Amino acid sequence: MAWIVLVISGVLEAVWATALGRSEGFSRPGPTIVFSVALVLSMGGLAYAMRTLPTGTAYAVWVGIGASLTVVYAMVSGTEPVTLARVVFLLLIISGIVGLKLVS
């Protein structure tokens, strides 16, 4: 169960990171509310997962999922360029996340 919560929390990290960028310094209410709710849920899920998973592994997986999804969303939405190098390095992050799960 902790792994499922951790993955959901990683997805929510990508949500709050994206909303933070769209909030324009917390001047736009919609993205600011999304940021706030997603941040609380993401951190709460990470805290829950860390009750049973090793701290370093849980944190690395959480950050890796959030960072990867944030960049993928930015590339899909056209706010960041899609390059071979970016895709390769994203795949390396994802393989690291999978590797941490396999050895835990």
Side-chain angles (χ1 to χ4, degrees):
M1 182 65 170
W3 279 102
I4 294 168
V5 171
L6 184 62
V7 169
I8 293 168
S9 297
V11 171
L12 287 169
E13 185 195 0
V15 171
W16 69 251
T18 301
L20 178 61
R22 292 182 176 213
S23 74
E24 297 177 10
F26 302 119
S27 65
R28 297 180 60 212
T32 299
I33 291 168
V34 171
F35 162 78
S36 301
V37 171
L39 178 67
V40 168
L41 292 174
S42 179
M43 291 289 179
L46 176 62
Y48 174 84
M50 287 177 140
R51 293 157 86 194
T52 56
L53 299 175
T55 298
T57 299
Y59 183 71
V61 168
W62 179 76
V63 168
I65 291 170
S68 298
L69 290 177
T70 302
V71 173
V72 167
Y73 178 79
M75 289 191 304
V76 168
S77 67
T79 57
E80 291 192 24
V82 179
T83 66
L84 179 60
R86 283 178 183 266
V87 172
V88 168
F89 290 122
L90 280 171
L91 290 174
L92 288 171
I93 292 171
I94 293 165
S95 66
I97 294 166
V98 171
L100 284 172
K101 167 59 175 128
L102 293 176
V103 299
S104 292

